[in-house]
Amino acid sequence: TAGQMAEEFGTEAYVVGGFVRDILLTKPNFDLDLVVETDGIKFAKKLAKKMSGRAKYHRKFKTAVVILPDGQRVDVATARLEYYEYPAALPTVELSSIKMDLYRRDFTVNALAVHINPSSFGKLVDFFGAQRDLKDRTIRILHALSFVEDPTRIMRAIRFEQRFDFRIGGQTLNLIKNALKLNLFNKLSGYRIVHELKLILNEDAVPGSIKRMDELGVLEAIHPLLVLNSSREQVITELERVISWHSLLYLEPTISVWKTYFLGLCMGISKPKMEQIYNRFSFSQTEEREFVHLRETIFWAAGNIMNIREELKPSEIYTILHPVPLEGVLFIMARTKRDMIKKYISQYLTTLRLQTIDITGDDLKELGLIPGPQYAQLLFETKLACLDSLVKGKDEQLEFVKK
Ligand code: CTP
């Protein structure tokens, strides 16, 4: 439909970016980005109407997103020469709009387009040798000022390199090193750094990305306290195993993966020094509070569980671990070298945490107990008794409460 519409508008439309890259790599990608050589907002409005979807626009950037009835999003951008500021790095004068649009992008492999007008449907547009780079498995920028224009591309280069098991090209690598020497990261807002870091830490192959960031000096550029040492490296490697074990058990993404790895990166940093990191990342008060809480509960629980010498009852394991958010429990599991503790944590995650009891607050009310905080305490103690199999079934639980 979009291709036909482009024809009616007397213009060209293209699918661009990650979608094209991933088709050539035979990987799934559901983010559809269109570029049209006309007013993208008008185009998106019409496309939305034709497809019974709705459109949202960003007038300043001449971009729009069309949301189709099935929820599929299609981003529409405008490629019109008059909208571009002429980049200093650009040597040629005569350029088509699509070429200029692609030239502003980060890496060759992301700068591919495919015609979708019916007359030229499926024709690949490759101005910058992207097909060669895909074949050679290379991440390469398009011009020497790319990282100066946008230093977050350094983290993107690492993310794509590790995701596809590519290599950052030699010249590109040198430009990354130069950009870091020029302290370009200092200019980046905390928000943008955290955004890129989250993207990296939420992908597969996180240990590889972290090692690469460390080797190139990216971690140090983000904050000197974050550089790797052998214990952090070990924990991060082990975290990958623990997280994939957990995700196989539970299909729902019940944990925030990036936070779990971030705990590993911050391992051994004192509480006052963590303040520097929260400040650099411009964490909101809520984010900071959450992370402080996470670290404190880990500190408390790890202290308790690591000191154990004799066997623990299920209720004791539960008591120690239940105040800790899941990310923290997985972190403790990755950090310990003792199989017995790993076993306790696995028992907690797979059974103890999920076990329910039969009585509720209503039953306590029926017993004539006055509602209040003691309700939670009584239910908690009943759960502990159930975990140790001291009471079974509703009747025994009620008896237990009465006593
Ligand atoms: N882009 C860029 N510089 C950035 C971010 C994005 O040039 N700092 C360009 C890239 O060319 C990319 C496009 O904008 O292809 C869309 O960005 P994004 O959705 O982040 O990239 P994808 O390649 O689709 O990545 P992913 O597969 O992770 O969704």
Side-chain angles (χ1 to χ4, degrees):
T1 310
Q4 266 161 7
M5 266 180 49
E7 206 85 356
E8 288 160 22
F9 270 69
T11 186
E12 287 290 324
Y14 308 83
V15 175
V16 296
F19 190 85
V20 182
R21 174 199 69 212
D22 288 344
I23 286 180
L24 295 179
L25 289 171
T26 63
K27 304 217 182 278
N29 186 326
F30 304 102
D31 296 332
L32 201 53
D33 287 306
L34 299 185
V35 168
V36 292
E37 289 180 325
T38 181
D39 183 334
I41 292 181
K42 268 194 200 151
F43 190 90
K45 273 187 190 170
K46 187 147 184 208
L47 183 64
K49 204 168 160 199
K50 277 208 165 166
M51 307 279 295
S52 314
R54 57 204 167 84
K56 292 195 276 187
Y57 341 101
H58 210 312
R59 290 215 174 266
K60 192 171 155 215
F61 299 111
K62 306 247 182 320
T63 58
V65 53
V66 177
I67 300 134
L68 301 180
D70 63 357
Q72 166 78 47
R73 297 163 66 91
V74 181
D75 284 292
V76 181
T78 308
R80 294 274 293 271
L81 277 180
E82 61 267 35
Y83 295 149
Y84 299 124
E85 258 178 55
Y86 208 77
L90 201 61
T92 39
V93 182
E94 280 295 315
L95 270 185
S96 65
S97 299
I98 184 68
K99 187 166 185 183
M100 183 73 112
D101 179 280
L102 296 172
Y103 190 71
R104 287 157 54 253
R105 291 170 185 260
D106 49 4
F107 309 115
T108 57
V109 294
N110 287 339
L112 280 164
V114 172
H115 281 272
I116 57 167
N117 290 45
S119 54
S120 48
F121 191 87
K123 200 170 134 215
L124 189 67
V125 179
D126 179 6
F127 294 116
F128 311 108
Q131 292 173 93
R132 184 197 56 214
D133 288 341
L134 282 172
K135 200 164 138 272
D136 297 345
R137 311 174 77 77
T138 306
I139 301 293
R140 197 160 57 81
I141 34 107
L142 295 166
H143 59 81
L145 290 179
S146 193
F147 295 126
V148 178
E149 276 169 14
D150 181 357
T152 63
R153 288 177 173 170
I154 295 174
M155 293 171 82
R156 287 175 63 86
I158 294 172
R159 181 155 62 88
F160 291 124
E161 179 191 61
Q162 299 297 318
R163 183 198 291 176
F164 300 126
D165 196 16
F166 278 22
R167 273 279 156 263
I168 298 175
Q171 188 67 16
T172 301
L173 207 55
N174 285 335
L175 290 166
I176 289 181
K177 288 177 187 160
N178 271 341
L180 291 169
K181 256 191 232 145
L182 293 171
N183 294 325
L184 292 183
F185 257 62
N186 293 355
K187 291 195 195 136
L188 284 177
S189 69
Y191 173 80
R192 292 198 67 200
I193 288 186
V194 175
H195 178 73
E196 290 302 324
L197 193 62
K198 280 182 188 172
L199 290 176
I200 288 188
L201 301 184
N202 278 330
E203 294 234 345
D204 293 333
V206 176
S209 296
I210 291 180
K211 274 183 223 153
R212 192 69 160 140
M213 283 197 287
D214 188 56
E215 174 192 301
L216 293 176
V218 173
L219 286 180
E220 192 178 0
I222 296 176
H223 199 289
L225 286 168
L226 295 177
V227 295
L228 272 192
N229 54 36
S230 64
S231 48
R232 284 181 187 166
E233 200 172 321
Q234 260 176 26
V235 167
I236 285 163
T237 308
E238 188 59 20
L239 268 176
E240 189 180 37
R241 293 230 301 255
V242 168
I243 291 171
S244 70
W245 166 79
H246 180 261
S247 70
L248 285 177
L249 283 177
Y250 303 102
L251 293 175
E252 295 291 311
T254 45
I255 61 155
S256 162
V257 173
W258 83 268
K259 259 191 217 165
T260 318
Y261 280 114
F262 190 55
L263 285 167
L265 275 178
C266 297
M267 201 169 85
I269 303 178
S270 68
K271 204 175 160 188
K273 287 207 165 139
M274 277 307 291
E275 287 293 325
Q276 293 180 22
I277 292 178
Y278 302 140
N279 285 341
R280 175 62 187 110
F281 284 181
S282 318
F283 269 180
S284 69
Q285 270 189 356
T286 319
E287 284 172 317
E288 177 170 339
R289 221 179 300 129
E290 259 180 41
F291 209 72
V292 167
H293 172 75
L294 182 54
R295 284 186 25 118
E296 273 171 2
T297 55
I298 291 171
F299 187 73
W300 178 86
N304 279 311
I305 208 160
M306 306 266 187
N307 281 331
I308 298 303
R309 292 282 159 242
E310 75 275 26
E311 213 169 293
L312 282 182
K313 288 193 283 193
S315 62
E316 290 170 319
I317 302 172
Y318 183 80
T319 306
I320 294 175
L321 292 175
H322 91 279
V324 188
L326 270 183
E327 291 82 4
V329 177
L330 295 180
F331 175 76
I332 298 172
M333 192 172 191
R335 210 179 82 178
T336 184
K337 292 201 172 71
R338 289 169 59 194
D339 284 342
M340 166 124 108
I341 294 177
K342 279 197 198 289
K343 212 183 81 209
Y344 285 151
I345 297 178
S346 156
Q347 189 185 351
Y348 169 76
L349 288 170
T350 55
T351 60
L352 308 183
R353 182 174 67 98
L354 307 168
Q355 192 162 324
T356 51
I357 55 173
D358 304 300
I359 57 167
T360 64
D362 287 342
D363 297 307
L364 301 184
K365 218 170 178 178
E366 265 178 38
L367 287 177
L369 291 163
I370 303 154
Q374 72 273 21
Y375 269 36
Q377 184 62 28
L378 278 172
L379 294 173
F380 179 66
E381 281 174 23
T382 310
K383 169 146 183 173
L384 295 185
C386 289
L387 289 175
D388 291 342
S389 307
L390 298 176
V391 290
K392 290 191 191 99
K394 190 164 178 176
D395 292 343
E396 282 187 37
Q397 289 171 19
L398 284 170
E399 275 310 303
F400 176 80
V401 172
K402 277 189 212 156
K403 266 194 240 149

